[in-house]
Amino acid sequence: QRVPPLTDHKVLLSWNAQLLSTLLHSADLFDHAGYRQTAVNLGHYLHQHFYPSSGLYRVSINGQPEGQALCEDYAYLANAYLDLFDAQQDRVWLERAIALLDTMTARFWDSDHYGFFMTDDQNYLNSRHKDVYDNAMPSANGLAYQALLKIHQRTGEVRFKQQAEQLIGAFADTLNQSPDYYSALMLGYSQSQQGEVGAVQYACEG
């Protein structure tokens, strides 16, 4: 009969994008069609709810999307779209991932020293910060790097590979000093050298 704890009803884009990828991986591991369909439904919802023509929103409160998305939101969602493409082979997800990365590059890319800034809004504190260190969630630059490599593998477009090489090069000294703090970047680099690990493999420019 105790009063239940408060429920946080806000919906975060980045967290749900990670959930989408987890549902798809779980669907493969457990051969669970329900997980797969839930992931597809979630992908359509995120695209329709958080992605107007002006750019991504970051959070939805009481069904109302709010706030300018950060780099991590773009990186997480791009990887989720690529997972949907792998699961369905529907090019709409690949095209959406490409559009996300192009917008992310236009908004956050450091054209002088490479890598992605956290935000393009000068009103944010530490707006020139680059999220590269993995905490409870993988870093934005780590997942952006993985997405660039995946899109190159699936399309053969050289510009994505070149940008991925610029990104990893920008943090090379940091990675050499403490690689265990940057697992998202290290995973991407391993896949760039050894190939992706998973049931779906790409070759011959997609």
mmCIF file with all atom_site columns, all heavy atoms in Angstrom, residues 44-70:
data_model
loop_
_atom_site.group_PDB
_atom_site.id
_atom_site.type_symbol
_atom_site.label_atom_id
_atom_site.label_alt_id
_atom_site.label_comp_id
_atom_site.label_asym_id
_atom_site.label_entity_id
_atom_site.label_seq_id
_atom_site.pdbx_PDB_ins_code
_atom_site.Cartn_x
_atom_site.Cartn_y
_atom_site.Cartn_z
_atom_site.occupancy
_atom_site.B_iso_or_equiv
_atom_site.pdbx_formal_charge
_atom_site.auth_seq_id
_atom_site.auth_comp_id
_atom_site.auth_asym_id
_atom_site.auth_atom_id
_atom_site.pdbx_PDB_model_num
ATOM 1   N N   . HIS A 1 44 ? 10.539 3.202  -36.738 1.00 0.00 ? 44 HIS A N   1
ATOM 2   C CA  . HIS A 1 44 ? 9.588  4.097  -37.401 1.00 0.00 ? 44 HIS A CA  1
ATOM 3   C C   . HIS A 1 44 ? 9.134  5.207  -36.451 1.00 0.00 ? 44 HIS A C   1
ATOM 4   O O   . HIS A 1 44 ? 9.005  6.367  -36.856 1.00 0.00 ? 44 HIS A O   1
ATOM 5   C CB  . HIS A 1 44 ? 8.382  3.307  -37.899 1.00 0.00 ? 44 HIS A CB  1
ATOM 6   C CG  . HIS A 1 44 ? 8.670  2.444  -39.093 1.00 0.00 ? 44 HIS A CG  1
ATOM 7   N ND1 . HIS A 1 44 ? 9.155  2.950  -40.279 1.00 0.00 ? 44 HIS A ND1 1
ATOM 8   C CD2 . HIS A 1 44 ? 8.554  1.105  -39.279 1.00 0.00 ? 44 HIS A CD2 1
ATOM 9   C CE1 . HIS A 1 44 ? 9.306  1.977  -41.157 1.00 0.00 ? 44 HIS A CE1 1
ATOM 10  N NE2 . HIS A 1 44 ? 8.960  0.842  -40.567 1.00 0.00 ? 44 HIS A NE2 1
ATOM 11  N N   . TYR A 1 45 ? 8.905  4.850  -35.195 1.00 0.00 ? 45 TYR A N   1
ATOM 12  C CA  . TYR A 1 45 ? 8.467  5.852  -34.218 1.00 0.00 ? 45 TYR A CA  1
ATOM 13  C C   . TYR A 1 45 ? 9.532  6.924  -34.017 1.00 0.00 ? 45 TYR A C   1
ATOM 14  O O   . TYR A 1 45 ? 9.236  8.132  -34.024 1.00 0.00 ? 45 TYR A O   1
ATOM 15  C CB  . TYR A 1 45 ? 8.149  5.181  -32.885 1.00 0.00 ? 45 TYR A CB  1
ATOM 16  C CG  . TYR A 1 45 ? 7.912  6.174  -31.771 1.00 0.00 ? 45 TYR A CG  1
ATOM 17  C CD1 . TYR A 1 45 ? 6.707  6.870  -31.674 1.00 0.00 ? 45 TYR A CD1 1
ATOM 18  C CD2 . TYR A 1 45 ? 8.906  6.427  -30.834 1.00 0.00 ? 45 TYR A CD2 1
ATOM 19  C CE1 . TYR A 1 45 ? 6.498  7.789  -30.654 1.00 0.00 ? 45 TYR A CE1 1
ATOM 20  C CE2 . TYR A 1 45 ? 8.706  7.349  -29.816 1.00 0.00 ? 45 TYR A CE2 1
ATOM 21  C CZ  . TYR A 1 45 ? 7.503  8.030  -29.730 1.00 0.00 ? 45 TYR A CZ  1
ATOM 22  O OH  . TYR A 1 45 ? 7.319  8.956  -28.724 1.00 0.00 ? 45 TYR A OH  1
ATOM 23  N N   . LEU A 1 46 ? 10.786 6.515  -33.825 1.00 0.00 ? 46 LEU A N   1
ATOM 24  C CA  . LEU A 1 46 ? 11.858 7.487  -33.601 1.00 0.00 ? 46 LEU A CA  1
ATOM 25  C C   . LEU A 1 46 ? 12.011 8.411  -34.795 1.00 0.00 ? 46 LEU A C   1
ATOM 26  O O   . LEU A 1 46 ? 12.234 9.625  -34.630 1.00 0.00 ? 46 LEU A O   1
ATOM 27  C CB  . LEU A 1 46 ? 13.171 6.764  -33.304 1.00 0.00 ? 46 LEU A CB  1
ATOM 28  C CG  . LEU A 1 46 ? 13.218 5.933  -32.013 1.00 0.00 ? 46 LEU A CG  1
ATOM 29  C CD1 . LEU A 1 46 ? 14.584 5.272  -31.860 1.00 0.00 ? 46 LEU A CD1 1
ATOM 30  C CD2 . LEU A 1 46 ? 12.898 6.793  -30.790 1.00 0.00 ? 46 LEU A CD2 1
ATOM 31  N N   . HIS A 1 47 ? 11.912 7.858  -35.994 1.00 0.00 ? 47 HIS A N   1
ATOM 32  C CA  . HIS A 1 47 ? 12.063 8.688  -37.189 1.00 0.00 ? 47 HIS A CA  1
ATOM 33  C C   . HIS A 1 47 ? 10.920 9.693  -37.312 1.00 0.00 ? 47 HIS A C   1
ATOM 34  O O   . HIS A 1 47 ? 11.145 10.868 -37.616 1.00 0.00 ? 47 HIS A O   1
ATOM 35  C CB  . HIS A 1 47 ? 12.119 7.817  -38.437 1.00 0.00 ? 47 HIS A CB  1
ATOM 36  C CG  . HIS A 1 47 ? 12.384 8.601  -39.691 1.00 0.00 ? 47 HIS A CG  1
ATOM 37  N ND1 . HIS A 1 47 ? 13.633 9.063  -40.023 1.00 0.00 ? 47 HIS A ND1 1
ATOM 38  C CD2 . HIS A 1 47 ? 11.542 9.012  -40.678 1.00 0.00 ? 47 HIS A CD2 1
ATOM 39  C CE1 . HIS A 1 47 ? 13.564 9.729  -41.171 1.00 0.00 ? 47 HIS A CE1 1
ATOM 40  N NE2 . HIS A 1 47 ? 12.303 9.708  -41.579 1.00 0.00 ? 47 HIS A NE2 1
ATOM 41  N N   . GLN A 1 48 ? 9.713  9.259  -37.053 1.00 0.00 ? 48 GLN A N   1
ATOM 42  C CA  . GLN A 1 48 ? 8.558  10.140 -37.217 1.00 0.00 ? 48 GLN A CA  1
ATOM 43  C C   . GLN A 1 48 ? 8.452  11.157 -36.082 1.00 0.00 ? 48 GLN A C   1
ATOM 44  O O   . GLN A 1 48 ? 8.046  12.304 -36.305 1.00 0.00 ? 48 GLN A O   1
ATOM 45  C CB  . GLN A 1 48 ? 7.285  9.295  -37.283 1.00 0.00 ? 48 GLN A CB  1
ATOM 46  C CG  . GLN A 1 48 ? 7.203  8.415  -38.512 1.00 0.00 ? 48 GLN A CG  1
ATOM 47  C CD  . GLN A 1 48 ? 6.125  7.342  -38.413 1.00 0.00 ? 48 GLN A CD  1
ATOM 48  O OE1 . GLN A 1 48 ? 5.370  7.297  -37.437 1.00 0.00 ? 48 GLN A OE1 1
ATOM 49  N NE2 . GLN A 1 48 ? 6.064  6.468  -39.403 1.00 0.00 ? 48 GLN A NE2 1
ATOM 50  N N   . HIS A 1 49 ? 8.844  10.756 -34.880 1.00 0.00 ? 49 HIS A N   1
ATOM 51  C CA  . HIS A 1 49 ? 8.618  11.590 -33.699 1.00 0.00 ? 49 HIS A CA  1
ATOM 52  C C   . HIS A 1 49 ? 9.770  12.562 -33.432 1.00 0.00 ? 49 HIS A C   1
ATOM 53  O O   . HIS A 1 49 ? 9.544  13.688 -32.977 1.00 0.00 ? 49 HIS A O   1
ATOM 54  C CB  . HIS A 1 49 ? 8.400  10.693 -32.481 1.00 0.00 ? 49 HIS A CB  1
ATOM 55  C CG  . HIS A 1 49 ? 7.875  11.428 -31.278 1.00 0.00 ? 49 HIS A CG  1
ATOM 56  N ND1 . HIS A 1 49 ? 6.617  11.995 -31.238 1.00 0.00 ? 49 HIS A ND1 1
ATOM 57  C CD2 . HIS A 1 49 ? 8.443  11.707 -30.071 1.00 0.00 ? 49 HIS A CD2 1
ATOM 58  C CE1 . HIS A 1 49 ? 6.431  12.580 -30.057 1.00 0.00 ? 49 HIS A CE1 1
ATOM 59  N NE2 . HIS A 1 49 ? 7.518  12.413 -29.339 1.00 0.00 ? 49 HIS A NE2 1
ATOM 60  N N   . PHE A 1 50 ? 11.006 12.129 -33.704 1.00 0.00 ? 50 PHE A N   1
ATOM 61  C CA  . PHE A 1 50 ? 12.164 12.919 -33.317 1.00 0.00 ? 50 PHE A CA  1
ATOM 62  C C   . PHE A 1 50 ? 12.884 13.578 -34.493 1.00 0.00 ? 50 PHE A C   1
ATOM 63  O O   . PHE A 1 50 ? 13.839 14.312 -34.276 1.00 0.00 ? 50 PHE A O   1
ATOM 64  C CB  . PHE A 1 50 ? 13.191 12.034 -32.585 1.00 0.00 ? 50 PHE A CB  1
ATOM 65  C CG  . PHE A 1 50 ? 12.789 11.672 -31.184 1.00 0.00 ? 50 PHE A CG  1
ATOM 66  C CD1 . PHE A 1 50 ? 12.070 10.522 -30.919 1.00 0.00 ? 50 PHE A CD1 1
ATOM 67  C CD2 . PHE A 1 50 ? 13.128 12.493 -30.113 1.00 0.00 ? 50 PHE A CD2 1
ATOM 68  C CE1 . PHE A 1 50 ? 11.711 10.184 -29.622 1.00 0.00 ? 50 PHE A CE1 1
ATOM 69  C CE2 . PHE A 1 50 ? 12.776 12.162 -28.818 1.00 0.00 ? 50 PHE A CE2 1
ATOM 70  C CZ  . PHE A 1 50 ? 12.063 11.005 -28.577 1.00 0.00 ? 50 PHE A CZ  1
ATOM 71  N N   . TYR A 1 51 ? 12.465 13.316 -35.715 1.00 0.00 ? 51 TYR A N   1
ATOM 72  C CA  . TYR A 1 51 ? 13.285 13.711 -36.854 1.00 0.00 ? 51 TYR A CA  1
ATOM 73  C C   . TYR A 1 51 ? 12.485 14.547 -37.856 1.00 0.00 ? 51 TYR A C   1
ATOM 74  O O   . TYR A 1 51 ? 12.177 14.097 -38.954 1.00 0.00 ? 51 TYR A O   1
ATOM 75  C CB  . TYR A 1 51 ? 13.842 12.463 -37.546 1.00 0.00 ? 51 TYR A CB  1
ATOM 76  C CG  . TYR A 1 51 ? 15.000 12.717 -38.491 1.00 0.00 ? 51 TYR A CG  1
ATOM 77  C CD1 . TYR A 1 51 ? 15.627 13.942 -38.570 1.00 0.00 ? 51 TYR A CD1 1
ATOM 78  C CD2 . TYR A 1 51 ? 15.462 11.693 -39.318 1.00 0.00 ? 51 TYR A CD2 1
ATOM 79  C CE1 . TYR A 1 51 ? 16.686 14.163 -39.433 1.00 0.00 ? 51 TYR A CE1 1
ATOM 80  C CE2 . TYR A 1 51 ? 16.522 11.894 -40.186 1.00 0.00 ? 51 TYR A CE2 1
ATOM 81  C CZ  . TYR A 1 51 ? 17.126 13.136 -40.234 1.00 0.00 ? 51 TYR A CZ  1
ATOM 82  O OH  . TYR A 1 51 ? 18.170 13.351 -41.095 1.00 0.00 ? 51 TYR A OH  1
ATOM 83  N N   . PRO A 1 52 ? 12.155 15.799 -37.493 1.00 0.00 ? 52 PRO A N   1
ATOM 84  C CA  . PRO A 1 52 ? 11.544 16.692 -38.476 1.00 0.00 ? 52 PRO A CA  1
ATOM 85  C C   . PRO A 1 52 ? 12.598 17.159 -39.471 1.00 0.00 ? 52 PRO A C   1
ATOM 86  O O   . PRO A 1 52 ? 13.778 16.843 -39.347 1.00 0.00 ? 52 PRO A O   1
ATOM 87  C CB  . PRO A 1 52 ? 11.043 17.861 -37.617 1.00 0.00 ? 52 PRO A CB  1
ATOM 88  C CG  . PRO A 1 52 ? 11.997 17.890 -36.468 1.00 0.00 ? 52 PRO A CG  1
ATOM 89  C CD  . PRO A 1 52 ? 12.372 16.451 -36.208 1.00 0.00 ? 52 PRO A CD  1
ATOM 90  N N   . SER A 1 53 ? 12.190 17.926 -40.449 1.00 0.00 ? 53 SER A N   1
ATOM 91  C CA  . SER A 1 53 ? 13.127 18.354 -41.495 1.00 0.00 ? 53 SER A CA  1
ATOM 92  C C   . SER A 1 53 ? 14.232 19.252 -40.962 1.00 0.00 ? 53 SER A C   1
ATOM 93  O O   . SER A 1 53 ? 15.315 19.335 -41.545 1.00 0.00 ? 53 SER A O   1
ATOM 94  C CB  . SER A 1 53 ? 12.358 19.096 -42.597 1.00 0.00 ? 53 SER A CB  1
ATOM 95  O OG  . SER A 1 53 ? 11.662 20.209 -42.056 1.00 0.00 ? 53 SER A OG  1
ATOM 96  N N   . SER A 1 54 ? 14.004 19.912 -39.833 1.00 0.00 ? 54 SER A N   1
ATOM 97  C CA  . SER A 1 54 ? 14.987 20.853 -39.301 1.00 0.00 ? 54 SER A CA  1
ATOM 98  C C   . SER A 1 54 ? 16.110 20.183 -38.533 1.00 0.00 ? 54 SER A C   1
ATOM 99  O O   . SER A 1 54 ? 17.119 20.820 -38.217 1.00 0.00 ? 54 SER A O   1
ATOM 100 C CB  . SER A 1 54 ? 14.296 21.864 -38.391 1.00 0.00 ? 54 SER A CB  1
ATOM 101 O OG  . SER A 1 54 ? 13.618 21.210 -37.334 1.00 0.00 ? 54 SER A OG  1
ATOM 102 N N   . GLY A 1 55 ? 16.011 18.895 -38.206 1.00 0.00 ? 55 GLY A N   1
ATOM 103 C CA  . GLY A 1 55 ? 17.031 18.198 -37.438 1.00 0.00 ? 55 GLY A CA  1
ATOM 104 C C   . GLY A 1 55 ? 16.427 17.453 -36.269 1.00 0.00 ? 55 GLY A C   1
ATOM 105 O O   . GLY A 1 55 ? 15.238 17.602 -35.956 1.00 0.00 ? 55 GLY A O   1
ATOM 106 N N   . LEU A 1 56 ? 17.247 16.666 -35.607 1.00 0.00 ? 56 LEU A N   1
ATOM 107 C CA  . LEU A 1 56 ? 16.747 15.803 -34.535 1.00 0.00 ? 56 LEU A CA  1
ATOM 108 C C   . LEU A 1 56 ? 16.413 16.574 -33.265 1.00 0.00 ? 56 LEU A C   1
ATOM 109 O O   . LEU A 1 56 ? 17.070 17.551 -32.917 1.00 0.00 ? 56 LEU A O   1
ATOM 110 C CB  . LEU A 1 56 ? 17.797 14.748 -34.188 1.00 0.00 ? 56 LEU A CB  1
ATOM 111 C CG  . LEU A 1 56 ? 18.051 13.611 -35.174 1.00 0.00 ? 56 LEU A CG  1
ATOM 112 C CD1 . LEU A 1 56 ? 19.173 12.727 -34.641 1.00 0.00 ? 56 LEU A CD1 1
ATOM 113 C CD2 . LEU A 1 56 ? 16.796 12.799 -35.410 1.00 0.00 ? 56 LEU A CD2 1
ATOM 114 N N   . TYR A 1 57 ? 15.379 16.085 -32.564 1.00 0.00 ? 57 TYR A N   1
ATOM 115 C CA  . TYR A 1 57 ? 15.136 16.472 -31.181 1.00 0.00 ? 57 TYR A CA  1
ATOM 116 C C   . TYR A 1 57 ? 15.854 15.489 -30.266 1.00 0.00 ? 57 TYR A C   1
ATOM 117 O O   . TYR A 1 57 ? 16.157 14.360 -30.649 1.00 0.00 ? 57 TYR A O   1
ATOM 118 C CB  . TYR A 1 57 ? 13.641 16.455 -30.868 1.00 0.00 ? 57 TYR A CB  1
ATOM 119 C CG  . TYR A 1 57 ? 12.848 17.570 -31.510 1.00 0.00 ? 57 TYR A CG  1
ATOM 120 C CD1 . TYR A 1 57 ? 11.971 17.302 -32.566 1.00 0.00 ? 57 TYR A CD1 1
ATOM 121 C CD2 . TYR A 1 57 ? 12.959 18.881 -31.055 1.00 0.00 ? 57 TYR A CD2 1
ATOM 122 C CE1 . TYR A 1 57 ? 11.231 18.325 -33.153 1.00 0.00 ? 57 TYR A CE1 1
ATOM 123 C CE2 . TYR A 1 57 ? 12.230 19.903 -31.636 1.00 0.00 ? 57 TYR A CE2 1
ATOM 124 C CZ  . TYR A 1 57 ? 11.367 19.624 -32.689 1.00 0.00 ? 57 TYR A CZ  1
ATOM 125 O OH  . TYR A 1 57 ? 10.645 20.624 -33.271 1.00 0.00 ? 57 TYR A OH  1
ATOM 126 N N   . ARG A 1 58 ? 16.061 15.916 -29.013 1.00 0.00 ? 58 ARG A N   1
ATOM 127 C CA  . ARG A 1 58 ? 16.806 15.078 -28.071 1.00 0.00 ? 58 ARG A CA  1
ATOM 128 C C   . ARG A 1 58 ? 15.900 14.302 -27.120 1.00 0.00 ? 58 ARG A C   1
ATOM 129 O O   . ARG A 1 58 ? 16.213 13.178 -26.733 1.00 0.00 ? 58 ARG A O   1
ATOM 130 C CB  . ARG A 1 58 ? 17.769 15.948 -27.263 1.00 0.00 ? 58 ARG A CB  1
ATOM 131 C CG  . ARG A 1 58 ? 18.561 15.198 -26.198 1.00 0.00 ? 58 ARG A CG  1
ATOM 132 C CD  . ARG A 1 58 ? 19.724 16.009 -25.666 1.00 0.00 ? 58 ARG A CD  1
ATOM 133 N NE  . ARG A 1 58 ? 20.406 15.360 -24.575 1.00 0.00 ? 58 ARG A NE  1
ATOM 134 C CZ  . ARG A 1 58 ? 21.265 14.347 -24.705 1.00 0.00 ? 58 ARG A CZ  1
ATOM 135 N NH1 . ARG A 1 58 ? 21.524 13.865 -25.905 1.00 0.00 ? 58 ARG A NH1 1
ATOM 136 N NH2 . ARG A 1 58 ? 21.851 13.819 -23.653 1.00 0.00 ? 58 ARG A NH2 1
ATOM 137 N N   . VAL A 1 59 ? 14.762 14.877 -26.733 1.00 0.00 ? 59 VAL A N   1
ATOM 138 C CA  . VAL A 1 59 ? 13.926 14.285 -25.688 1.00 0.00 ? 59 VAL A CA  1
ATOM 139 C C   . VAL A 1 59 ? 12.468 14.538 -26.012 1.00 0.00 ? 59 VAL A C   1
ATOM 140 O O   . VAL A 1 59 ? 12.127 15.525 -26.687 1.00 0.00 ? 59 VAL A O   1
ATOM 141 C CB  . VAL A 1 59 ? 14.292 14.882 -24.301 1.00 0.00 ? 59 VAL A CB  1
ATOM 142 C CG1 . VAL A 1 59 ? 14.053 16.379 -24.278 1.00 0.00 ? 59 VAL A CG1 1
ATOM 143 C CG2 . VAL A 1 59 ? 13.530 14.196 -23.177 1.00 0.00 ? 59 VAL A CG2 1
ATOM 144 N N   . SER A 1 60 ? 11.610 13.642 -25.557 1.00 0.00 ? 60 SER A N   1
ATOM 145 C CA  . SER A 1 60 ? 10.168 13.825 -25.689 1.00 0.00 ? 60 SER A CA  1
ATOM 146 C C   . SER A 1 60 ? 9.556  13.757 -24.296 1.00 0.00 ? 60 SER A C   1
ATOM 147 O O   . SER A 1 60 ? 9.794  12.801 -23.555 1.00 0.00 ? 60 SER A O   1
ATOM 148 C CB  . SER A 1 60 ? 9.564  12.744 -26.586 1.00 0.00 ? 60 SER A CB  1
ATOM 149 O OG  . SER A 1 60 ? 8.160  12.873 -26.657 1.00 0.00 ? 60 SER A OG  1
ATOM 150 N N   . ILE A 1 61 ? 8.779  14.790 -23.948 1.00 0.00 ? 61 ILE A N   1
ATOM 151 C CA  . ILE A 1 61 ? 8.129  14.863 -22.643 1.00 0.00 ? 61 ILE A CA  1
ATOM 152 C C   . ILE A 1 61 ? 6.633  15.003 -22.870 1.00 0.00 ? 61 ILE A C   1
ATOM 153 O O   . ILE A 1 61 ? 6.189  15.919 -23.570 1.00 0.00 ? 61 ILE A O   1
ATOM 154 C CB  . ILE A 1 61 ? 8.668  16.043 -21.814 1.00 0.00 ? 61 ILE A CB  1
ATOM 155 C CG1 . ILE A 1 61 ? 10.185 15.893 -21.612 1.00 0.00 ? 61 ILE A CG1 1
ATOM 156 C CG2 . ILE A 1 61 ? 7.966  16.125 -20.466 1.00 0.00 ? 61 ILE A CG2 1
ATOM 157 C CD1 . ILE A 1 61 ? 10.824 17.075 -20.909 1.00 0.00 ? 61 ILE A CD1 1
ATOM 158 N N   . ASN A 1 62 ? 5.864  14.071 -22.320 1.00 0.00 ? 62 ASN A N   1
ATOM 159 C CA  . ASN A 1 62 ? 4.412  14.061 -22.500 1.00 0.00 ? 62 ASN A CA  1
ATOM 160 C C   . ASN A 1 62 ? 4.033  14.083 -23.983 1.00 0.00 ? 62 ASN A C   1
ATOM 161 O O   . ASN A 1 62 ? 3.084  14.771 -24.396 1.00 0.00 ? 62 ASN A O   1
ATOM 162 C CB  . ASN A 1 62 ? 3.776  15.248 -21.777 1.00 0.00 ? 62 ASN A CB  1
ATOM 163 C CG  . ASN A 1 62 ? 3.968  15.190 -20.272 1.00 0.00 ? 62 ASN A CG  1
ATOM 164 O OD1 . ASN A 1 62 ? 3.933  14.110 -19.683 1.00 0.00 ? 62 ASN A OD1 1
ATOM 165 N ND2 . ASN A 1 62 ? 4.176  16.339 -19.656 1.00 0.00 ? 62 ASN A ND2 1
ATOM 166 N N   . GLY A 1 63 ? 4.796  13.327 -24.781 1.00 0.00 ? 63 GLY A N   1
ATOM 167 C CA  . GLY A 1 63 ? 4.494  13.220 -26.196 1.00 0.00 ? 63 GLY A CA  1
ATOM 168 C C   . GLY A 1 63 ? 4.934  14.395 -27.040 1.00 0.00 ? 63 GLY A C   1
ATOM 169 O O   . GLY A 1 63 ? 4.664  14.426 -28.245 1.00 0.00 ? 63 GLY A O   1
ATOM 170 N N   . GLN A 1 64 ? 5.647  15.370 -26.440 1.00 0.00 ? 64 GLN A N   1
ATOM 171 C CA  . GLN A 1 64 ? 6.069  16.559 -27.163 1.00 0.00 ? 64 GLN A CA  1
ATOM 172 C C   . GLN A 1 64 ? 7.600  16.579 -27.282 1.00 0.00 ? 64 GLN A C   1
ATOM 173 O O   . GLN A 1 64 ? 8.294  16.706 -26.275 1.00 0.00 ? 64 GLN A O   1
ATOM 174 C CB  . GLN A 1 64 ? 5.610  17.822 -26.425 1.00 0.00 ? 64 GLN A CB  1
ATOM 175 C CG  . GLN A 1 64 ? 5.971  19.119 -27.126 1.00 0.00 ? 64 GLN A CG  1
ATOM 176 C CD  . GLN A 1 64 ? 5.323  19.259 -28.482 1.00 0.00 ? 64 GLN A CD  1
ATOM 177 O OE1 . GLN A 1 64 ? 4.151  18.918 -28.652 1.00 0.00 ? 64 GLN A OE1 1
ATOM 178 N NE2 . GLN A 1 64 ? 6.079  19.735 -29.470 1.00 0.00 ? 64 GLN A NE2 1
ATOM 179 N N   . PRO A 1 65 ? 8.143  16.426 -28.498 1.00 0.00 ? 65 PRO A N   1
ATOM 180 C CA  . PRO A 1 65 ? 9.604  16.458 -28.651 1.00 0.00 ? 65 PRO A CA  1
ATOM 181 C C   . PRO A 1 65 ? 10.163 17.844 -28.362 1.00 0.00 ? 65 PRO A C   1
ATOM 182 O O   . PRO A 1 65 ? 9.578  18.855 -28.735 1.00 0.00 ? 65 PRO A O   1
ATOM 183 C CB  . PRO A 1 65 ? 9.817  16.053 -30.112 1.00 0.00 ? 65 PRO A CB  1
ATOM 184 C CG  . PRO A 1 65 ? 8.530  16.376 -30.792 1.00 0.00 ? 65 PRO A CG  1
ATOM 185 C CD  . PRO A 1 65 ? 7.445  16.208 -29.769 1.00 0.00 ? 65 PRO A CD  1
ATOM 186 N N   . GLU A 1 66 ? 11.320 17.866 -27.688 1.00 0.00 ? 66 GLU A N   1
ATOM 187 C CA  . GLU A 1 66 ? 11.928 19.124 -27.274 1.00 0.00 ? 66 GLU A CA  1
ATOM 188 C C   . GLU A 1 66 ? 13.442 19.009 -27.341 1.00 0.00 ? 66 GLU A C   1
ATOM 189 O O   . GLU A 1 66 ? 14.006 17.926 -27.290 1.00 0.00 ? 66 GLU A O   1
ATOM 190 C CB  . GLU A 1 66 ? 11.528 19.479 -25.830 1.00 0.00 ? 66 GLU A CB  1
ATOM 191 C CG  . GLU A 1 66 ? 10.049 19.638 -25.577 1.00 0.00 ? 66 GLU A CG  1
ATOM 192 C CD  . GLU A 1 66 ? 9.748  19.945 -24.124 1.00 0.00 ? 66 GLU A CD  1
ATOM 193 O OE1 . GLU A 1 66 ? 10.697 20.213 -23.364 1.00 0.00 ? 66 GLU A OE1 1
ATOM 194 O OE2 . GLU A 1 66 ? 8.562  19.913 -23.740 1.00 0.00 ? 66 GLU A OE2 1
ATOM 195 N N   . GLY A 1 67 ? 14.099 20.137 -27.413 1.00 0.00 ? 67 GLY A N   1
ATOM 196 C CA  . GLY A 1 67 ? 15.551 20.221 -27.250 1.00 0.00 ? 67 GLY A CA  1
ATOM 197 C C   . GLY A 1 67 ? 16.330 19.819 -28.480 1.00 0.00 ? 67 GLY A C   1
ATOM 198 O O   . GLY A 1 67 ? 16.024 18.821 -29.132 1.00 0.00 ? 67 GLY A O   1
ATOM 199 N N   . GLN A 1 68 ? 17.359 20.570 -28.776 1.00 0.00 ? 68 GLN A N   1
ATOM 200 C CA  . GLN A 1 68 ? 18.220 20.276 -29.916 1.00 0.00 ? 68 GLN A CA  1
ATOM 201 C C   . GLN A 1 68 ? 19.082 19.059 -29.606 1.00 0.00 ? 68 GLN A C   1
ATOM 202 O O   . GLN A 1 68 ? 19.717 18.984 -28.557 1.00 0.00 ? 68 GLN A O   1
ATOM 203 C CB  . GLN A 1 68 ? 19.095 21.499 -30.208 1.00 0.00 ? 68 GLN A CB  1
ATOM 204 C CG  . GLN A 1 68 ? 19.862 21.427 -31.501 1.00 0.00 ? 68 GLN A CG  1
ATOM 205 C CD  . GLN A 1 68 ? 20.667 22.687 -31.734 1.00 0.00 ? 68 GLN A CD  1
ATOM 206 O OE1 . GLN A 1 68 ? 21.597 22.996 -30.995 1.00 0.00 ? 68 GLN A OE1 1
ATOM 207 N NE2 . GLN A 1 68 ? 20.293 23.444 -32.752 1.00 0.00 ? 68 GLN A NE2 1
ATOM 208 N N   . ALA A 1 69 ? 19.099 18.110 -30.509 1.00 0.00 ? 69 ALA A N   1
ATOM 209 C CA  . ALA A 1 69 ? 19.860 16.884 -30.289 1.00 0.00 ? 69 ALA A CA  1
ATOM 210 C C   . ALA A 1 69 ? 21.358 17.163 -30.260 1.00 0.00 ? 69 ALA A C   1
ATOM 211 O O   . ALA A 1 69 ? 21.851 18.092 -30.916 1.00 0.00 ? 69 ALA A O   1
ATOM 212 C CB  . ALA A 1 69 ? 19.539 15.866 -31.378 1.00 0.00 ? 69 ALA A CB  1
ATOM 213 N N   . LEU A 1 70 ? 22.072 16.351 -29.502 1.00 0.00 ? 70 LEU A N   1
ATOM 214 C CA  . LEU A 1 70 ? 23.524 16.414 -29.441 1.00 0.00 ? 70 LEU A CA  1
ATOM 215 C C   . LEU A 1 70 ? 24.128 15.415 -30.427 1.00 0.00 ? 70 LEU A C   1
ATOM 216 O O   . LEU A 1 70 ? 23.422 14.596 -31.024 1.00 0.00 ? 70 LEU A O   1
ATOM 217 C CB  . LEU A 1 70 ? 24.004 16.105 -28.027 1.00 0.00 ? 70 LEU A CB  1
ATOM 218 C CG  . LEU A 1 70 ? 23.458 16.990 -26.904 1.00 0.00 ? 70 LEU A CG  1
ATOM 219 C CD1 . LEU A 1 70 ? 24.021 16.541 -25.564 1.00 0.00 ? 70 LEU A CD1 1
ATOM 220 C CD2 . LEU A 1 70 ? 23.760 18.451 -27.159 1.00 0.00 ? 70 LEU A CD2 1
#
